[in-house]
Amino acid sequence: MHRPPSGPGRTTARRSPTRSATTRRPATTRPATARRDGRRPDHGTVRRPREAVPRYWFADRLLAVLTGRRPVHSMLSHTVGEAYEQLVRLAPADEPFLPPGREPAVRHCDEYAPRDGVVEAFARISSGERVHALAFRLERGPDLRWRCAAVEADGRHRERAEP
């Protein structure tokens, strides 16, 4: 009867004569994060880019309107109800939302969802050493698009001028 060699430094595994220890298998066409069944592995929460999150998208657009970088009418199809009129009153026609200085930026935006299809968002806006507040309400329409329903900036929501 033949016995395999034993002892230190001896191995019983046999290598294929056509494949050396340094030869690698060809790369698969499947991405490393996908499984054979097509599902993604569960590594916790999958993060979307900031621009793909509705509250950040709206916070960036609202800030651009409030600082005069974008015209108010650019938000016309993204607002419902009184929100467009609120933007018109808050836009910097006579007094700017933020004092001149460094370019303002959305630093953080969070949300509270009182029910399905409604998001109440609040954002911290930094401009130089100052921090400002921006609050807005988003509602999902029957077409599944988010639209802004209310806006408040730094606690201001200018009242409509009565004739």
Side-chain angles (χ1 to χ4, degrees):
M1 179 171 191
H2 182 275
R3 298 177 103 183
S6 62
R10 307 213 181 219
T11 177
T12 59
R14 301 180 85 192
R15 290 194 181 141
S16 167
T18 59
R19 190 169 153 202
S20 71
T22 59
T23 305
R24 297 184 185 266
R25 293 181 184 205
T28 62
T29 57
R30 216 173 54 236
T33 59
R35 298 188 328 197
R36 289 188 192 276
D37 60 4
R39 295 183 307 160
R40 299 184 76 151
D42 186 18
H43 293 295
T45 304
V46 177
R47 291 183 167 234
R48 295 188 292 177
R50 219 172 105 150
E51 298 79 28
V53 179
R55 67 180 183 260
Y56 275 103
W57 188 92
F58 274 93
D60 287 334
R61 296 308 185 283
L62 291 170
L63 180 60
V65 168
L66 293 174
T67 57
R69 291 179 297 175
R70 290 179 67 114
V72 178
H73 68 267
S74 67
M75 292 297 292
L76 190 57
S77 64
H78 302 291
T79 57
V80 292
E82 186 67 20
Y84 183 76
E85 293 300 321
Q86 290 172 339
L87 275 176
V88 168
R89 290 189 297 271
L90 288 169
D94 55 347
E95 126 186 20
F97 165 60
L98 299 173
R102 288 185 34 189
E103 189 69 24
V106 176
R107 292 296 172 211
H108 180 74
C109 190
D110 212 343
E111 68 181 31
Y112 167 71
R115 65 176 187 271
D116 276 349
V118 175
V119 169
E120 293 176 353
F122 43 96
R124 282 193 309 259
I125 311 295
S126 67
S127 175
E129 294 182 14
R130 298 208 52 208
V131 176
H132 303 272
L134 177 64
F136 52 96
R137 180 183 176 98
L138 301 177
E139 296 177 358
R140 188 182 291 230
D143 59 355
L144 301 180
R145 288 181 53 206
W146 290 101
R147 290 184 178 83
C148 184
V151 181
E152 189 173 311
D154 267 349
R156 299 183 296 178
H157 50 274
R158 294 185 188 165
E159 298 301 322
R160 193 180 330 189
E162 298 295 326

